[in-house]
Amino acid sequence: MIINTILENKGDLFPSKIISYKHEVDAVDFFTDNNVILRVTVLRDSLIRFRFTAKGYFSNDFSYAIDKTQSHGYNVLEIQDKEDHYRITTSKVYVVIQKHDCRVGIYELDGTTILEDELGFHWEECYEYGGNIVKMSKVSHEGESFYGLGDKATHFNLKGKRVENWATDQYAFQKDQEPLYKVVPFYVGLHNQKAYGIFFDNTFRSFFDFSHERKGVTSFWADGGEMNYYFIYGPKMSDVVTTYTHLTGKPELPPLWTLGYQQCKWSYYPESKVKEITGKFRELQIPCDAIYLDIDYMDGFRCFTWNKDYFPNPKQMVSDLAKDGFKTVVIIDPGIKIDKEYWVYKEALEKDYFCKRADGPYMKGKVWPGECNFPDFTNPEVREWWAGLFKELVAEIGVKGVWNDMNEPAVMEVPTKTFPLDVRHNYDGNNCSHRKAHNIYGTQMARATYEGVKRFAYPKRPFVITRSAYSGAQRYTSSWTGDNIATWEHLWIANIQMQRMSISGMGFTGSDIGGFAEQPSAELYARWIQLGVFHPFCRTHSSGHHGEQEPWSFGEEVINITRKFVELRYQLLPYLYTMFWQYVNDGVPMLKPLVYYDQTDIQTHYRTDEFIFGNQILVCPILEPNAQGRRMYLPEGNWYNYWTNELVSGKKELWVATDFDQIPLFIKEGAIIPKYPIQQYVGQIEHPELALEVYYKLGKEKSYVYEDAQDGYDYNKGRYSYKTFTLTGKEKEVFINQHKEGTYENQYQTIKICLKGLNFKITGIEIDNEKVSFESVNFVENSLQINKDFSELHIFGE
Ligand code: GLC
């Protein structure tokens, strides 16, 4: 059912007056005389949960999205009973609950309004299915902006938009098309310099409307389930995003090779073709770490089998590829071919693991293999079985990663493109229909896959990538944005989707570089690579139906551009790994949209193109043909043009001239950018030596570098190295202080330091208060090489 309007409905029901309340530890229940209960739980000072029921009791509290280890923290909760309202106070905000209609308002302690209910909670009985259509509306203000919501292919600022959350196989989706593959019912509101967040944790089909239907109103609603949302107080957008990410969970560190460049196509086969592709990368010296096998590696698209005509000895092939530095990643879809000779089908049938229709028969639908049944991944026993299926692929054959696709779940030849809604699911013991389980199905598949790959890859780290995902999926898997198109508009979309995913807790994401459907021009492919190397996941993929899409398919110039940018990515691996560490530890998004970087500057509120990669590199893609540069916005601060080293001051629009083999890239002044030497794949150089590019600043700036064994779990035992470099620039001198945390010992002895942007000539160098000669540190053109364990480097001149 699609609900087109929530406001005209005459059948809407509302809470009546509150007749009593009950306070227990961190929660307060308010009871109305028409059976509504509002439960307000203070999880942290700035994280408050609101849960409504209109039945007079709550159903079992269960969520796949919440990271249970993270949801509680110390907090203050004070409740006051006032004349016409109740007031709950934490150390950061207070919540007002109106006695006569249960409407809620949230304010800063000085009374500043953050978010107020418009109609507040209301609902509509859904007699067809049972349960309620649950609705919420809030007041929105002139100048208020909205961000988040996962993979939406629309303007970065969602003001004026309505979006729908229903995981959908949306082949060749268009700009503004709804719904897409992923479901992240989380948004950030920004008004009067203050940011807050709402996470509506409800897996039914849901909608968000940001003043699209009615000016001045933000509303969200779902086809069933509970009105159950978390309010997150900022006031900084960064606090909202990191709190949301803590709440729904962070991933483990991926193996470093997954941050290298990856090559994919539908499909590389037979084995000789795969080796021809990998060989060509090495011949052309374009770095590459992974090669993907799409559905044709299987025998008749049966998961966990191989087509022995194309791949007579998979183990041998995977090991040959590994010797050349290539990790093999294979696709696994959820549809299991109905074939009584096929072992996976037989096992699942025997154990009764497939999803069933309401009346009993197994749910049947067509996907690539023809008619299939589908495991119920919401059943923990099924997930356990599924995990075990990866033994041969991972432990024996040596596959390093698994790619989960079609898990919206996608079904062919039916208008809804998915399961019938009556299909039953276990939902971890909370039996339900597909209406509730649909949006979470893909995440539970990826979770089961992750458990399996992790088990058999141990002591190495697993790698999983998924197409469909619900909030929290980031704990198990990376993702890509699905079947895009080789058009300039899609390059714009990819840029926005990656920034949006990043602030939606799911940063380990990339687009199909060059476009999946249709064929990119040489120029478009080059521009896409130039952006793609700055996305956390970096993979070229195409449907293969319209021509070749390897870096060498577009002529000499594009080969050189691809090599140049992929090499830059490989040099920046320690920088990328460090931002990943900050994501894993602190929930900090890897890509920072300009509004995230400086929410106080209203110029940033509607920017879509520029973003900060990590903390100190500003990237602005070229999104149009025949460009000789572009206009862009440089945010607050002083920035070095990466290509010319020219220092430019920000908070202004400017024209940046670039050649075809460049895009505007700026480095924040004072930054210390860590780089490795170029490698053709991660691990080619066993102990790559760190080099630091130091961008002079008059003042102070901190930079960080994370390193570890690049794979395995030793980092969990403290065997990592997290370095803080503090730069202090003065008139004609620079100090760099180093502080290390963690017990990992890098094998290299020296570190190369290259100073940029100095406005003086270096005349002296001191290391840990001792003067050293220029020869002893190989001083050439403002570069020097010193022992990696220095505490303070002092450079001065005239
Ligand atoms: C889907 C995927 C695509 C894959 C194809 C064949 O369209 O999105 O990436 O190549 O199926 O498996």
Side-chain angles (χ1 to χ4, degrees), residues 1 113 129 133 154 171 189 289 379 398-399 566 576 604 616 691 785:
M1 170 193 316
T113 305
Y129 294 103
I133 295 162
T154 193
Y171 172 79
D289 258 281
N379 179 343
V399 160
V566 175
L576 246 165
T604 64
Q616 296 164 320
Q785 191 153 14

Coordinates of all heavy atoms in Angstrom, one line a residue, residues 1 113 129 133 154 171 189 289 379 398-399 566 576 604 616 691 785:
M1 N 0.8 -1.2 0.0 CA 0.0 0.0 0.0 C 0.9 1.2 0.0 O 1.8 1.4 0.7 CB -0.9 0.0 1.3 CG -1.6 1.3 1.5 SD -2.3 1.4 3.1 CE -3.0 -0.2 3.3
T113 N 14.5 26.4 21.2 CA 13.8 25.2 20.6 C 14.7 24.4 19.7 O 15.3 25.0 18.8 CB 12.6 25.7 19.8 OG1 11.8 26.6 20.6 CG2 11.7 24.6 19.2
Y129 N -4.5 -5.4 7.1 CA -3.3 -6.2 7.6 C -3.4 -6.4 9.1 O -2.7 -7.2 9.7 CB -2.0 -5.6 7.2 CG -1.8 -5.6 5.7 CD1 -1.9 -4.5 5.0 CD2 -1.4 -6.8 5.1 CE1 -1.7 -4.5 3.6 CE2 -1.2 -6.8 3.7 CZ -1.3 -5.7 3.0 OH -1.1 -5.7 1.7
I133 N -1.0 2.2 10.8 CA -0.1 3.0 10.0 C 0.3 4.1 11.0 O -0.5 4.8 11.5 CB -0.8 3.6 8.8 CG1 -1.2 2.4 7.9 CG2 0.1 4.6 8.1 CD1 -2.2 2.8 6.9
T154 N 19.2 12.1 -4.9 CA 18.6 13.4 -5.1 C 19.5 14.5 -4.5 O 20.5 14.1 -3.9 CB 17.1 13.4 -4.5 OG1 16.4 14.5 -4.9 CG2 17.2 13.3 -3.0
Y171 N 17.2 -1.2 -11.3 CA 18.1 -1.2 -12.4 C 18.1 0.1 -13.2 O 17.0 0.6 -13.5 CB 17.8 -2.4 -13.4 CG 18.6 -2.3 -14.7 CD1 19.9 -2.8 -14.7 CD2 18.0 -1.8 -15.8 CE1 20.7 -2.7 -15.8 CE2 18.8 -1.7 -17.0 CZ 20.1 -2.2 -17.0 OH 20.8 -2.1 -18.1
G189 N 18.7 17.2 10.9 CA 18.1 18.5 10.7 C 19.0 19.6 11.1 O 19.8 19.4 12.1
D289 N 44.1 -4.5 -6.7 CA 44.2 -5.5 -5.6 C 43.2 -6.6 -5.8 O 43.4 -7.7 -5.2 CB 44.0 -4.8 -4.3 CG 45.3 -4.6 -3.6 OD1 45.8 -5.6 -3.0 OD2 45.8 -3.5 -3.6
N379 N 16.1 -15.9 10.2 CA 16.1 -17.1 11.2 C 17.6 -17.3 11.6 O 18.4 -17.6 10.8 CB 15.5 -18.3 10.5 CG 15.5 -19.5 11.4 OD1 16.2 -19.5 12.4 ND2 14.7 -20.5 11.1
G398 N 40.2 -20.4 -1.2 CA 41.1 -19.2 -1.0 C 40.5 -17.9 -1.4 O 41.1 -16.9 -1.5
V399 N 39.1 -17.9 -1.7 CA 38.5 -16.7 -2.0 C 38.6 -15.7 -0.8 O 38.5 -16.1 0.3 CB 37.0 -17.0 -2.3 CG1 36.1 -15.8 -2.2 CG2 36.9 -17.6 -3.7
V566 N 45.0 6.3 -9.7 CA 45.1 5.1 -8.8 C 46.4 5.0 -8.1 O 46.4 4.7 -6.9 CB 44.8 3.8 -9.7 CG1 45.0 2.5 -8.9 CG2 43.4 3.8 -10.3
L576 N 44.0 7.0 4.0 CA 42.7 6.3 3.9 C 42.5 5.4 5.1 O 41.4 5.3 5.7 CB 42.7 5.5 2.7 CG 41.8 5.8 1.5 CD1 42.2 5.1 0.3 CD2 40.4 5.4 1.9
T604 N 27.4 26.6 2.8 CA 27.6 25.2 2.7 C 26.3 24.4 2.6 O 26.3 23.2 2.2 CB 28.5 24.6 3.8 OG1 27.7 24.8 5.0 CG2 29.8 25.4 4.0
Q616 N 41.6 16.4 5.9 CA 42.4 17.5 5.4 C 42.5 17.7 3.9 O 43.3 18.5 3.4 CB 43.8 17.4 6.0 CG 43.8 17.5 7.5 CD 45.0 17.1 8.2 OE1 45.6 16.1 7.8 NE2 45.5 17.8 9.2
A691 N 56.1 8.4 4.2 CA 56.6 9.7 3.9 C 55.6 10.7 4.3 O 54.4 10.5 4.2 CB 56.9 9.8 2.4
Q785 N 65.4 13.1 5.4 CA 65.0 11.7 5.9 C 65.6 11.5 7.3 O 66.8 11.7 7.5 CB 65.7 10.7 4.9 CG 65.2 9.3 5.1 CD 65.3 8.5 3.9 OE1 66.0 9.0 2.9 NE2 64.7 7.4 3.8

